[in-house]
């Protein structure tokens, strides 16, 4: 397509191009280059940098989704606000000795 470079941007955060490139590179006795979307062929150091940054981006997005879900959990499940804190179900989990 005429917009192939724009389409390859998706490959920067998608894990499949990295997996394909690594498997092709390390599973062959031929000198195959490591390919990264948009940037083309790179050496191993840059490939591992791209791989690490893509993994950290995935972890960051996942953490943001979890944080937003935790913050809005009561609203999502439509739990009524509590006027007083709920009593623990098992109040004597750590009884005092004596």
């Amino acid at each position: 397509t005429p917009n192939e470079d724009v389409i390859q941007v998706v490959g920067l955060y998608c894990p499949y191009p990295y997996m394909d490139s690594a498997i092709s590179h390390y599973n062959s006795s031929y000198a195959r280059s490591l390919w990264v979307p948009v940037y083309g062929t790179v050496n191993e150091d840059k490939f591992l940098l791209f791989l690490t940054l893509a993994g950290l981006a995935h972890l960051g997005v996942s953490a943001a989704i979890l944080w937003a879900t935790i913050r809005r959990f009561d609203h999502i499940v439509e739990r009524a606000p509590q006027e007083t804190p709920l009593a623990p179900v098992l109040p004597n989990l750590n009884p005092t000795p004596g």
Side-chain angles (χ1 to χ4, degrees), residues 29-61:
S29 59
Y30 300 106
R32 294 192 180 180
S33 58
L34 293 161
W35 181 80
V36 175
V38 178
Y39 294 95
T41 57
V42 295
N43 62 14
E44 287 185 9
D45 294 338
K46 287 187 180 181
F47 181 78
L48 292 174
L49 177 67
F50 278 105
L51 189 66
T52 303
L53 292 176
L56 289 174
H58 278 269
L59 289 175
V61 169

Side-chain angles (χ1 to χ4, degrees), residues 63-76:
I65 291 170
L66 284 174
W67 181 81
T69 303
I70 289 168
R71 298 282 297 160
R72 295 181 37 89
F73 184 76
D74 287 341
H75 178 72
I76 291 170

